[in-house]
Amino acid sequence: QISGDIFDFEKVMTTLSWKPDLVINTAWITTPSMYKDDKLNIGYSQFAIRLAQIVCEKKIKKHIFI
């Protein structure tokens, strides 16, 4: 398991350079009173899109995006 700051995409790319078999993305606001309207959701969705593109390009076998 590797964790870190998802907005540091350079570190994310370094992590993906060893071609894991599985990528799980659970980055999202989950605080009940905030998750629907939090402005960070835009950043998280942009990250998820970018990560999905990279996962496909690197032909990583399995990925889960929640």
Side-chain angles (χ1 to χ4, degrees), residues 2-19:
I2 298 171
S3 60
D5 182 357
I6 64 166
F7 296 114
D8 181 359
F9 212 78
E10 194 170 310
K11 178 161 180 152
V12 173
M13 291 301 297
T14 300
T15 301
L16 294 177
S17 68
W18 53 271
K19 292 190 177 181

Side-chain angles (χ1 to χ4, degrees), residues 3-66:
S3 60
D5 182 357
I6 64 166
F7 296 114
D8 181 359
F9 212 78
E10 194 170 310
K11 178 161 180 152
V12 173
M13 291 301 297
T14 300
T15 301
L16 294 177
S17 68
W18 53 271
K19 292 190 177 181
D21 290 331
L22 172 66
V23 171
I24 301 173
N25 176 31
T26 60
W28 208 254
I29 299 291
T30 58
T31 306
S33 63
M34 297 173 59
Y35 76 95
K36 291 182 182 179
D37 301 317
D38 196 291
K39 293 180 182 185
L40 286 175
N41 286 336
I42 294 169
Y44 288 123
S45 62
Q46 290 170 340
F47 169 79
I49 291 167
R50 193 168 174 199
L51 180 61
Q53 291 168 335
I54 299 299
V55 164
C56 290
E57 288 172 12
K58 292 193 171 286
K59 296 180 174 38
I60 295 173
K61 296 176 184 177
K62 299 175 186 172
H63 43 280
I64 300 170
F65 287 70
I66 299 174

